[in-house]
């Protein structure tokens, strides 16, 4: 076989492509938005679900050492399974904000009465637009930020034991 | 019991494939001019048992024999009879068996119909084809066996996906597979040609029927898939540049280029190396497409249930195929000299190849780039319709120009006899376009060019058709039909895109939505219980404000029980002049429904044009005369 | 940056309609260019999911506030990553994606040019 530079290049290119395919198989093809980590949350205004005249903004979060922003709804089944972890966290050095996503106020209040209320503020998001400004695409989802308003963890889906332990580590 | 019969048959085919390779290899050494009769017999037995195994699986589906895992996972006793049969190939394992059937049948037919050709060439083709068959057989037996059994035997199946219960979708895979898998035979033939040295005009003649067959079925398969997507998937579109769609389009570009290049190879005995490359590339693209679709590496609406082990196996097989093809090509090919005059038909066919290569590379890169970027840098991007449309559509303009004037040139060298005719047709096209632009609506510069060149192509083909009928020029009927169909296709897609009306809004029962052209009255909701689903049917009264025509559309939301799925059935009123399209979906926890309404002019002409393109190919197959 | 703007200008010139498109058309164009994050390969325009419905509201809001298409895309990209737009932006990551097809086109044309020229020279000889 005549050694020819074109042939070598083609060979290498094919081998490289097949290698990429093989590696690609290992990667999951489900997309999550963990790239949000490291960025700052944007400015917002959250209206209190119990008092529509009252609201908080990102400035209020600067006062907290750590804030966990948790998106939930009364009609969301997995939200129930993570609620216990939220209640545990509310006793730690972390402030939990709940954002009630596309829900009726009365249902949300009943939900919190039934399962317990870990939130120091519950914001309303009846049309879901607030969730978009936080980069949320489903519920439950939670964002952990520090006093600098930087996102240090994003949890897609309900918080489980592993996530809970990781959060505890981060807020030490 | 069916399980045992099925597996035994497949193992028999495996043994026969080994025997075929061995016997063919031995026969290569003999100086006898004719192939041993035993090889024909082996091939015939192989075909018979393969087909029998497929029938065994079909019987399993018809009888709802749930002792077979495949039938259990993909069927249900209440499925209508026709769809029970279609369920055989509507899943990964069954479709793999269909692939093997086509590989084997084509292997046998190629052997038999090419009796006039060189013995060593035919034997090598048989050997390579059977190596491919072995590869697929091992894949089936080791990883994706449709005959695996389950015990205890379940009483009921898990049900076929309701979306797959559609006549168009039932025939779409077999059509496409004849295209995809049909290219295997000229892959093997190309390898055989390189090794045996049997090339040139005779080689072109040996494979051309097979290239045409795979082209026709691939074209038809893609069209049926698009028609199904339009009527069933509920978004009013027919092509989304989805990875699975692209996987079927990539071989199509290669086969089209190959089909045109074969004409040159047969006529002028040149372009042999390029033809070989295309033969090898086409089946490689088919298997790559299969890899992309079935391994789960890509995110798509169409994917089969994905399984990484499948991906690994197909990747190994693909690597083996590509490297052997590369090695054999590099060691055996000889440098060619070319003699192409600018004003000759060969050069224009080269131009066709040029554009096909461009379209192919664009679609290939667009589909694979996200994978490469993700693996190498971790960055995830999406490449969708905007990319493909922006890159491809502008180049369709020069492509159609070349397509129109190319056939005018004769072989080797041409005079300028047709300059005035071409000029006249171009001016007519410009005038017609101006007419549409002025009277019907304004559109972008690019759209103007698209319309002008499409009309130009149509006029040329119509003129050629007239000459054909008047016996001035008795060749090229199939080319005229296909090129005319292509011109119409681009034209109607352009019209449809430019003049479609689309609305997206939320409505409650009893409300009326008024747009510039229509008044849409959401009259009421009906619930209907059907055999295997519950339907929520919306009644809509549509009034066309321009001509006061009233029509009724009834989109549905269907809730299936086995398996539990939700589908949205669009209400489509198809007329020759336009389609009215309405889908309805419920907004969660609300009384509102999200309504998508479209008026799509000349939609049905897109299908007619596309079928015309395929028809040209079928005409070629049925004509006995030597065309073009 | 200059290359990016030239590229953008060419895209606009070629596809620029002769008249301004109305808001509804612009909205639908944006919906078609956005990817539904919770679906298997569907755009916001085609998807019936909850997420798609919310995104549509947000886009409508932004349009009503006078934002352009590019601003809407940039906003959503900052929240969800580049994955959410179907038209890859022209940056150093995607440079090859946009350039390679044209490189192939030019290369192919060059080869044909060489072949034809070689034939002409043979004739002359």
């Amino acid at each position: 076989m005549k050694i020819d530079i074109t042939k070598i290049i083609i060979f290498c290119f094919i081998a490289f492509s097949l290698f990429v395919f093989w590696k690609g198989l290992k990667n999951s093809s489900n997309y999550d938005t963990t790239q949000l980590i490291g960025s700052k949350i944007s400015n917002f205004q959250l209206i209190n679900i119990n008092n529509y005249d009252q609201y908080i903004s990102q400035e209020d979060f600067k006062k907290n050492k750590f804030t966990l922003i948790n998106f939930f709804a009364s009609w969301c089944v997995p939200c129930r399974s993570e609620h216990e972890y939220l209640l545990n966290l509310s006793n730690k050095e972390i402030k939990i904000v709940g954002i009630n996503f596309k829900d009726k106020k009365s249902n949300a209040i009943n939900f919190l009465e039934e399962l317990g209320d870990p939130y120091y503020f519950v914001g309303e998001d009846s049309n879901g637009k607030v969730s978009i400004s936080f980069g949320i695409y489903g519920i439950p989802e939670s964002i952990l930020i520090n006093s600098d308003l930087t996102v240090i963890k994003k949890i897609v889906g309900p918080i489980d034991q592993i996530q809970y332990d990781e959060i505890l580590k981060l807020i030490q | 019991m069916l399980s045992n019969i099925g597996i035994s048959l497949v193992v028999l085919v495996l043994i026969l494939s080994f025997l075929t390779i061995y016997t063919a290899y031995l026969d290569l050494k003999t100086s006898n001019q004719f192939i041993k009769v035993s090889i024909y017999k082996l091939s015939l037995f192989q075909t018979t048992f393969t087909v029998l195994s497929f029938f065994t699986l079909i019987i399993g589906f018809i009888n709802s024999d749930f002792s077979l895992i495949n039938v259990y996972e993909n069927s249900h006793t209440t499925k209508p009879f026709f769809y029970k049969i279609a369920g055989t190939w509507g899943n990964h394992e069954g479709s793999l068996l269909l692939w093997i059937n086509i590989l084997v049948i084509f292997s046998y037919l190629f052997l038999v119909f090419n009796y006039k050709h060189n013995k060593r060439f035919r034997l090598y083709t048989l050997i390579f084809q059977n190596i491919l068959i072995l590869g697929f057989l091992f894949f089936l037996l080791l990883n994706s066996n449709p005959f695996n059994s389950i015990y205890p035997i379940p009483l009921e199946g898990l049900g076929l996906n309701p979306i797959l219960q559609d006549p168009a979708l039932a025939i779409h895979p077999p059509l496409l597979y004849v295209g995809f898998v049909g290219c295997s035979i000229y892959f093997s033939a190309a390898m055989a040609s390189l090794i045996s040295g049997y090339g040139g005009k005779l080689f072109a003649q040996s494979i051309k029927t097979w290239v045409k067959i795979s082209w026709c079925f691939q074209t038809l398969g893609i069209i049926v898939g698009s028609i199904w997507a339009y009527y069933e998937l509920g978004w009013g579109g027919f092509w989304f540049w989805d990875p699975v769609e692209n996987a079927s389009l990539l071989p199509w570009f290669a086969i089209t280029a190959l089909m045109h290049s074969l004409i040159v190879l047969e006529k002028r005995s040149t372009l042999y190396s390029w033809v070989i490359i295309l033969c090898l590339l086409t089946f490689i693209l088919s298997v790559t497409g299969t890899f992309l679709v079935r391994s789960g590496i890509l995110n798509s609406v169409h994917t089969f249930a994905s399984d990484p082990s499948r991906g690994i196996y197909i990747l190994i097989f693909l690597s083996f195929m590509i490297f052997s093809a590369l090695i054999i090509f590099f060691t055996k090919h000889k440098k060619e000299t070319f003699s192409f005059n600018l004003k000759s038909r060969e050069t224009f066919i080269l131009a066709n190849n040029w554009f096909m290569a461009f379209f192919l590379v664009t679609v290939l890169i667009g589909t694979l780039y996200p994978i490469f970027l993700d693996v190498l840098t971790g960055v995830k991007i999406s490449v969708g319709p905007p990319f493909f449309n922006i890159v491809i559509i502008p180049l369709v303009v020069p492509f159609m120009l070349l397509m129109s004037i190319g056939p005018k040139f004769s072989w080797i060298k041409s005079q300028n006899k047709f300059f005035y005719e071409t000029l006249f047709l171009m001016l007519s096209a410009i005038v017609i376009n101006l007419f549409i632009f002025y009277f019907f609506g304004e559109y972008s510069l690019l759209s103007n060019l698209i319309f002008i060149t499409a009309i130009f192509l149509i006029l040329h083909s119509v003129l050629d058709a007239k000459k054909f009928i008047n016996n001035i020029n008795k060749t090229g009927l199939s080319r005229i039909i296909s090129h005319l169909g292509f011109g119409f296709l681009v034209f109607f897609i352009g019209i449809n895109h430019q003049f479609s009306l689309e609305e997206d809004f939320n409505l409650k029962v009893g409300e009326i939505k008024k747009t510039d052209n229509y008044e849409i009255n959401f009259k009421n909701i009906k619930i209907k219980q059907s055999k295997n689903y519950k339907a929520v049917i919306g009644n809509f009264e549509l009034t066309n404000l321009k001509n006061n025509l009233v029509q009724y559309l009834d989109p549905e939301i269907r809730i299936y029980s086995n398996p539990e799925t939700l589908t949205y059935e669009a209400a489509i009123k198809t007329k020759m002049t336009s389609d009215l399209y309405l889908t309805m979906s419920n907004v969660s926890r609300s009384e509102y429904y999200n309504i998508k309404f479209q008026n799509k002019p000349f939609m049905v002409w897109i299908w007619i044009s596309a079928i015309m393109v395929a028809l040209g190919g079928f005409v070629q197959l049925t004509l006995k005369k030597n065309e073009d | 940056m200059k290359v990016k703007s030239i590229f953008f200008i060419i895209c606009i010139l070629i596809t620029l309609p002769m008249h301004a498109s109305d808001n509804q058309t612009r909205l639908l164009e944006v919906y078609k260019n956005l990817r539904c994050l919770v679906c298997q390969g569907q755009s916001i325009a085609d998807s019936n999911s909850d997420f798609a419905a919310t995104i549509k509201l947000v886009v409508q809001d932004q349009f009503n506030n006078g934002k352009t298409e590019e601003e809407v895309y940039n906003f959503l990209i900052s929240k969800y990553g580049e994955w959410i737009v179907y038209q890859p932006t022209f940056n150093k990551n995607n440079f090859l994606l946009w350039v390679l097809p044209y490189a192939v086109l030019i290369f192919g044309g060059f080869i044909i040019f060489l072949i034809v020229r070689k034939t002409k020279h043979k004739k002359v000889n």
Side-chain angles (χ1 to χ4, degrees), chain B residues 137-154:
Chain B
L137 280 170
F138 277 120
F139 182 29
L140 186 114
L141 284 169
L142 298 175
N143 178 293
S144 313
N145 194 341
F147 295 112
N148 281 338
S149 58
I150 185 174
Y151 190 82
I153 302 175

PDB file of all heavy atoms in Angstrom, chain B residues 137-154:
ATOM      1  N   LEU B 137     -26.965 -11.187  11.279  1.00  0.00           N
ATOM      2  CA  LEU B 137     -27.492 -12.371  11.960  1.00  0.00           C
ATOM      3  C   LEU B 137     -26.938 -12.468  13.377  1.00  0.00           C
ATOM      4  O   LEU B 137     -27.669 -12.772  14.318  1.00  0.00           O
ATOM      5  CB  LEU B 137     -27.140 -13.628  11.167  1.00  0.00           C
ATOM      6  CG  LEU B 137     -28.036 -13.926   9.974  1.00  0.00           C
ATOM      7  CD1 LEU B 137     -27.453 -15.039   9.132  1.00  0.00           C
ATOM      8  CD2 LEU B 137     -29.439 -14.299  10.432  1.00  0.00           C
ATOM      9  N   PHE B 138     -25.632 -12.211  13.509  1.00  0.00           N
ATOM     10  CA  PHE B 138     -25.045 -12.257  14.848  1.00  0.00           C
ATOM     11  C   PHE B 138     -25.672 -11.200  15.744  1.00  0.00           C
ATOM     12  O   PHE B 138     -25.976 -11.454  16.907  1.00  0.00           O
ATOM     13  CB  PHE B 138     -23.520 -12.072  14.787  1.00  0.00           C
ATOM     14  CG  PHE B 138     -22.793 -13.343  14.478  1.00  0.00           C
ATOM     15  CD1 PHE B 138     -21.995 -13.447  13.339  1.00  0.00           C
ATOM     16  CD2 PHE B 138     -22.901 -14.441  15.316  1.00  0.00           C
ATOM     17  CE1 PHE B 138     -21.329 -14.617  13.046  1.00  0.00           C
ATOM     18  CE2 PHE B 138     -22.238 -15.624  15.024  1.00  0.00           C
ATOM     19  CZ  PHE B 138     -21.458 -15.716  13.887  1.00  0.00           C
ATOM     20  N   PHE B 139     -25.878 -10.013  15.194  1.00  0.00           N
ATOM     21  CA  PHE B 139     -26.517  -8.937  15.947  1.00  0.00           C
ATOM     22  C   PHE B 139     -27.885  -9.401  16.437  1.00  0.00           C
ATOM     23  O   PHE B 139     -28.245  -9.254  17.601  1.00  0.00           O
ATOM     24  CB  PHE B 139     -26.641  -7.700  15.050  1.00  0.00           C
ATOM     25  CG  PHE B 139     -27.233  -6.495  15.722  1.00  0.00           C
ATOM     26  CD1 PHE B 139     -27.088  -6.277  17.087  1.00  0.00           C
ATOM     27  CD2 PHE B 139     -27.924  -5.554  14.983  1.00  0.00           C
ATOM     28  CE1 PHE B 139     -27.627  -5.154  17.710  1.00  0.00           C
ATOM     29  CE2 PHE B 139     -28.459  -4.424  15.585  1.00  0.00           C
ATOM     30  CZ  PHE B 139     -28.313  -4.231  16.949  1.00  0.00           C
ATOM     31  N   LEU B 140     -28.649 -10.024  15.520  1.00  0.00           N
ATOM     32  CA  LEU B 140     -29.982 -10.480  15.878  1.00  0.00           C
ATOM     33  C   LEU B 140     -29.933 -11.540  16.967  1.00  0.00           C
ATOM     34  O   LEU B 140     -30.611 -11.450  17.982  1.00  0.00           O
ATOM     35  CB  LEU B 140     -30.677 -11.043  14.633  1.00  0.00           C
ATOM     36  CG  LEU B 140     -32.140 -11.416  14.844  1.00  0.00           C
ATOM     37  CD1 LEU B 140     -33.025 -10.507  14.026  1.00  0.00           C
ATOM     38  CD2 LEU B 140     -32.403 -12.856  14.464  1.00  0.00           C
ATOM     39  N   LEU B 141     -29.096 -12.546  16.760  1.00  0.00           N
ATOM     40  CA  LEU B 141     -29.085 -13.668  17.698  1.00  0.00           C
ATOM     41  C   LEU B 141     -28.541 -13.276  19.061  1.00  0.00           C
ATOM     42  O   LEU B 141     -29.020 -13.736  20.084  1.00  0.00           O
ATOM     43  CB  LEU B 141     -28.259 -14.825  17.116  1.00  0.00           C
ATOM     44  CG  LEU B 141     -28.964 -15.612  16.010  1.00  0.00           C
ATOM     45  CD1 LEU B 141     -27.983 -16.560  15.323  1.00  0.00           C
ATOM     46  CD2 LEU B 141     -30.132 -16.403  16.593  1.00  0.00           C
ATOM     47  N   LEU B 142     -27.509 -12.409  19.054  1.00  0.00           N
ATOM     48  CA  LEU B 142     -26.852 -12.101  20.335  1.00  0.00           C
ATOM     49  C   LEU B 142     -27.508 -10.959  21.092  1.00  0.00           C
ATOM     50  O   LEU B 142     -27.420 -10.884  22.300  1.00  0.00           O
ATOM     51  CB  LEU B 142     -25.373 -11.759  20.089  1.00  0.00           C
ATOM     52  CG  LEU B 142     -24.547 -12.878  19.488  1.00  0.00           C
ATOM     53  CD1 LEU B 142     -23.149 -12.390  19.168  1.00  0.00           C
ATOM     54  CD2 LEU B 142     -24.480 -14.060  20.455  1.00  0.00           C
ATOM     55  N   ASN B 143     -28.136 -10.032  20.379  1.00  0.00           N
ATOM     56  CA  ASN B 143     -28.599  -8.836  21.062  1.00  0.00           C
ATOM     57  C   ASN B 143     -30.080  -8.544  20.864  1.00  0.00           C
ATOM     58  O   ASN B 143     -30.762  -8.126  21.779  1.00  0.00           O
ATOM     59  CB  ASN B 143     -27.760  -7.642  20.571  1.00  0.00           C
ATOM     60  CG  ASN B 143     -28.181  -6.331  21.167  1.00  0.00           C
ATOM     61  OD1 ASN B 143     -29.272  -5.846  20.896  1.00  0.00           O
ATOM     62  ND2 ASN B 143     -27.338  -5.745  21.988  1.00  0.00           N
ATOM     63  N   SER B 144     -30.586  -8.740  19.663  1.00  0.00           N
ATOM     64  CA  SER B 144     -31.955  -8.296  19.376  1.00  0.00           C
ATOM     65  C   SER B 144     -32.766  -9.413  18.747  1.00  0.00           C
ATOM     66  O   SER B 144     -33.196  -9.323  17.603  1.00  0.00           O
ATOM     67  CB  SER B 144     -31.915  -7.111  18.404  1.00  0.00           C
ATOM     68  OG  SER B 144     -30.973  -6.171  18.807  1.00  0.00           O
ATOM     69  N   ASN B 145     -32.990 -10.464  19.508  1.00  0.00           N
ATOM     70  CA  ASN B 145     -33.670 -11.638  18.958  1.00  0.00           C
ATOM     71  C   ASN B 145     -35.183 -11.525  19.106  1.00  0.00           C
ATOM     72  O   ASN B 145     -35.695 -11.480  20.228  1.00  0.00           O
ATOM     73  CB  ASN B 145     -33.157 -12.896  19.680  1.00  0.00           C
ATOM     74  CG  ASN B 145     -33.544 -14.152  18.952  1.00  0.00           C
ATOM     75  OD1 ASN B 145     -34.467 -14.150  18.135  1.00  0.00           O
ATOM     76  ND2 ASN B 145     -32.849 -15.235  19.248  1.00  0.00           N
ATOM     77  N   PRO B 146     -35.923 -11.486  18.015  1.00  0.00           N
ATOM     78  CA  PRO B 146     -37.377 -11.383  18.130  1.00  0.00           C
ATOM     79  C   PRO B 146     -38.025 -12.688  18.600  1.00  0.00           C
ATOM     80  O   PRO B 146     -39.201 -12.704  18.934  1.00  0.00           O
ATOM     81  CB  PRO B 146     -37.830 -11.045  16.708  1.00  0.00           C
ATOM     82  CG  PRO B 146     -36.751 -11.547  15.833  1.00  0.00           C
ATOM     83  CD  PRO B 146     -35.478 -11.464  16.612  1.00  0.00           C
ATOM     84  N   PHE B 147     -37.232 -13.749  18.626  1.00  0.00           N
ATOM     85  CA  PHE B 147     -37.808 -15.036  19.001  1.00  0.00           C
ATOM     86  C   PHE B 147     -37.513 -15.444  20.434  1.00  0.00           C
ATOM     87  O   PHE B 147     -37.775 -16.570  20.827  1.00  0.00           O
ATOM     88  CB  PHE B 147     -37.320 -16.133  18.049  1.00  0.00           C
ATOM     89  CG  PHE B 147     -37.791 -15.929  16.640  1.00  0.00           C
ATOM     90  CD1 PHE B 147     -36.895 -15.608  15.638  1.00  0.00           C
ATOM     91  CD2 PHE B 147     -39.133 -16.032  16.315  1.00  0.00           C
ATOM     92  CE1 PHE B 147     -37.320 -15.403  14.333  1.00  0.00           C
ATOM     93  CE2 PHE B 147     -39.575 -15.832  15.018  1.00  0.00           C
ATOM     94  CZ  PHE B 147     -38.664 -15.513  14.034  1.00  0.00           C
ATOM     95  N   ASN B 148     -36.954 -14.510  21.224  1.00  0.00           N
ATOM     96  CA  ASN B 148     -36.744 -14.844  22.635  1.00  0.00           C
ATOM     97  C   ASN B 148     -38.078 -15.127  23.292  1.00  0.00           C
ATOM     98  O   ASN B 148     -39.069 -14.435  23.054  1.00  0.00           O
ATOM     99  CB  ASN B 148     -36.061 -13.681  23.357  1.00  0.00           C
ATOM    100  CG  ASN B 148     -34.572 -13.651  23.093  1.00  0.00           C
ATOM    101  OD1 ASN B 148     -33.981 -14.657  22.736  1.00  0.00           O
ATOM    102  ND2 ASN B 148     -33.963 -12.500  23.283  1.00  0.00           N
ATOM    103  N   SER B 149     -38.087 -16.158  24.151  1.00  0.00           N
ATOM    104  CA  SER B 149     -39.370 -16.533  24.734  1.00  0.00           C
ATOM    105  C   SER B 149     -39.454 -16.116  26.188  1.00  0.00           C
ATOM    106  O   SER B 149     -38.458 -15.794  26.831  1.00  0.00           O
ATOM    107  CB  SER B 149     -39.581 -18.042  24.608  1.00  0.00           C
ATOM    108  OG  SER B 149     -38.516 -18.700  25.246  1.00  0.00           O
ATOM    109  N   ILE B 150     -40.670 -16.142  26.688  1.00  0.00           N
ATOM    110  CA  ILE B 150     -40.924 -15.713  28.059  1.00  0.00           C
ATOM    111  C   ILE B 150     -41.816 -16.748  28.715  1.00  0.00           C
ATOM    112  O   ILE B 150     -42.712 -17.314  28.087  1.00  0.00           O
ATOM    113  CB  ILE B 150     -41.566 -14.306  28.061  1.00  0.00           C
ATOM    114  CG1 ILE B 150     -41.725 -13.772  29.474  1.00  0.00           C
ATOM    115  CG2 ILE B 150     -42.925 -14.333  27.373  1.00  0.00           C
ATOM    116  CD1 ILE B 150     -42.221 -12.342  29.497  1.00  0.00           C
ATOM    117  N   TYR B 151     -41.527 -17.032  29.969  1.00  0.00           N
ATOM    118  CA  TYR B 151     -42.349 -18.007  30.692  1.00  0.00           C
ATOM    119  C   TYR B 151     -42.495 -17.558  32.126  1.00  0.00           C
ATOM    120  O   TYR B 151     -41.499 -17.186  32.734  1.00  0.00           O
ATOM    121  CB  TYR B 151     -41.700 -19.403  30.634  1.00  0.00           C
ATOM    122  CG  TYR B 151     -42.614 -20.470  31.158  1.00  0.00           C
ATOM    123  CD1 TYR B 151     -43.613 -21.020  30.345  1.00  0.00           C
ATOM    124  CD2 TYR B 151     -42.524 -20.900  32.490  1.00  0.00           C
ATOM    125  CE1 TYR B 151     -44.476 -21.970  30.859  1.00  0.00           C
ATOM    126  CE2 TYR B 151     -43.381 -21.853  32.983  1.00  0.00           C
ATOM    127  CZ  TYR B 151     -44.356 -22.393  32.161  1.00  0.00           C
ATOM    128  OH  TYR B 151     -45.220 -23.338  32.651  1.00  0.00           O
ATOM    129  N   PRO B 152     -43.629 -17.529  32.776  1.00  0.00           N
ATOM    130  CA  PRO B 152     -44.905 -17.987  32.233  1.00  0.00           C
ATOM    131  C   PRO B 152     -45.445 -17.052  31.161  1.00  0.00           C
ATOM    132  O   PRO B 152     -45.130 -15.868  31.146  1.00  0.00           O
ATOM    133  CB  PRO B 152     -45.822 -17.965  33.457  1.00  0.00           C
ATOM    134  CG  PRO B 152     -45.185 -17.021  34.400  1.00  0.00           C
ATOM    135  CD  PRO B 152     -43.716 -17.059  34.150  1.00  0.00           C
ATOM    136  N   ILE B 153     -46.241 -17.574  30.274  1.00  0.00           N
ATOM    137  CA  ILE B 153     -46.757 -16.818  29.136  1.00  0.00           C
ATOM    138  C   ILE B 153     -47.786 -15.810  29.631  1.00  0.00           C
ATOM    139  O   ILE B 153     -48.772 -16.170  30.261  1.00  0.00           O
ATOM    140  CB  ILE B 153     -47.415 -17.760  28.106  1.00  0.00           C
ATOM    141  CG1 ILE B 153     -46.398 -18.792  27.643  1.00  0.00           C
ATOM    142  CG2 ILE B 153     -47.940 -16.960  26.929  1.00  0.00           C
ATOM    143  CD1 ILE B 153     -46.984 -19.842  26.731  1.00  0.00           C
ATOM    144  N   PRO B 154     -47.570 -14.514  29.362  1.00  0.00           N
ATOM    145  CA  PRO B 154     -48.528 -13.506  29.804  1.00  0.00           C
ATOM    146  C   PRO B 154     -49.852 -13.652  29.058  1.00  0.00           C
ATOM    147  O   PRO B 154     -49.900 -14.178  27.953  1.00  0.00           O
ATOM    148  CB  PRO B 154     -47.853 -12.179  29.437  1.00  0.00           C
ATOM    149  CG  PRO B 154     -46.535 -12.503  28.877  1.00  0.00           C
ATOM    150  CD  PRO B 154     -46.472 -13.951  28.586  1.00  0.00           C
TER     151      PRO B 154
END
